Amino acid sequence: DGGITQSPKYLFRKEGQNVTLSCEQNLNHDAMYWYRQDPGQGLRLIYYSQIVNDFQKGDIAEGYSVSREKKESFPLTVTSAQKNPTAFYLCASNMGQGHQPQHFGDGTRLSIL
Amino acid sequence: SQQGEEDPQALSIQEGENATMNCSYKTSINNLQWYRQNSGRGLVHLILIRSNEREKHSGRLRVTLDTSKKSSSLLITASRAADTASYFCATDSSGSARQLTFGSGTQLTVLP
């Protein structure tokens, strides 16, 4: 089955620690996205990538970093500079046009220890 | 910034009733999409309506778009307990990959 896989489902971060969230897709999609969702809120765009080896900042990129070395993979690193990282993180993909639906993974819930 | 704002924030109905959710947005759009999110899961795309369309149907879903009022509504007919979820509108303002902006959602509870 084609889809998007996010791992881990739950993640805990200690003070001063960087953590990396995995996102893999086998839909052959060109574009991939990372969103942050806080309780009772909508999604806010962190980073997006339209092509391998290229990515752009979204609305809330500070304290986060990404890479896009392979078409299938778009990992997100939450750095120690992100002072309020507790949230639900969602990865999505599509063929890269705004009129195309985005396909989502099942998310990673990040909490502070 | 939030482009779309859903109303109401929460809605509770009995099974078999219709559920209507509204979305308002601020800037001109190319299209508007509705997504569903079950608790603790990712979003699932439901329906897309383009700016030159006024109404669209998909199964028990009916979406309307009024670009003069910058608003959209999602109607779910003959609701079922399995329809319990959060529903989000998302607007595409530029046509590019980047500009899909989500609202804050309506939490729908369908009571059996």
Side-chain angles (χ1 to χ4, degrees), chain A residues 37 42 48 59 99 102 106, chain B residues 33 35 37 41 48 97-98 103:
Chain A
Q37 186 178 31
Y48 67 105
D59 297 319
H99 65 273
Q102 292 187 10
D106 271 342
Chain B
Q33 304 176 31
Y35 288 80
Q37 182 182 35
R41 303 293 298 274
L48 178 151
R98 185 252 179 272

Side-chain angles (χ1 to χ4, degrees), chain B:
Chain B
S1 60
Q2 298 289 334
Q3 159 79 312
E5 293 296 331
E6 285 91 342
D7 169 55
Q9 288 187 325
L11 178 62
S12 184
I13 59 173
Q14 295 291 329
E15 210 165 23
E17 294 181 338
N18 295 343
T20 299
M21 288 158 270
N22 303 297
C23 171
S24 60
Y25 57 91
K26 298 173 183 174
T27 63
S28 61
I29 61 172
N30 294 305
N31 66 72
L32 185 145
Q33 304 176 31
W34 284 91
Y35 288 80
R36 166 197 169 122
Q37 182 182 35
N38 284 23
S39 180
R41 303 293 298 274
L43 277 69
V44 176
H45 181 261
L46 295 175
I47 195 166
L48 178 151
I49 186 165
R50 298 180 189 274
S51 60
N52 61 353
E53 297 176 309
R54 291 298 166 257
E55 187 171 314
K56 202 162 182 180
H57 296 255
S58 177
R60 293 185 296 113
L61 306 180
R62 173 179 169 252
V63 170
T64 61
L65 179 64
D66 187 336
T67 53
S68 67
K69 295 181 179 179
K70 293 186 170 59
S71 67
S72 173
S73 67
L74 171 67
L75 168 68
I76 304 174
T77 60
S79 62
R80 306 165 181 167
D83 294 328
T84 295
S86 292
Y87 292 82
F88 295 89
C89 67
T91 52
D92 168 28
S93 298
S94 76
S96 72
R98 185 252 179 272
Q99 288 294 345
L100 196 60
T101 306
F102 287 83
S104 54
T106 292
Q107 171 62 52
L108 172 66
T109 302
V110 181
L111 302 169

Side-chain angles (χ1 to χ4, degrees), chain A residues 69-84:
Chain A
E69 296 177 2
K70 298 187 301 181
K71 187 175 184 178
E72 303 77 22
S73 178
F74 192 39
L76 173 74
T77 296
V78 183
T79 75
S80 56
Q82 173 49 248
K83 296 307 179 187
N84 183 23

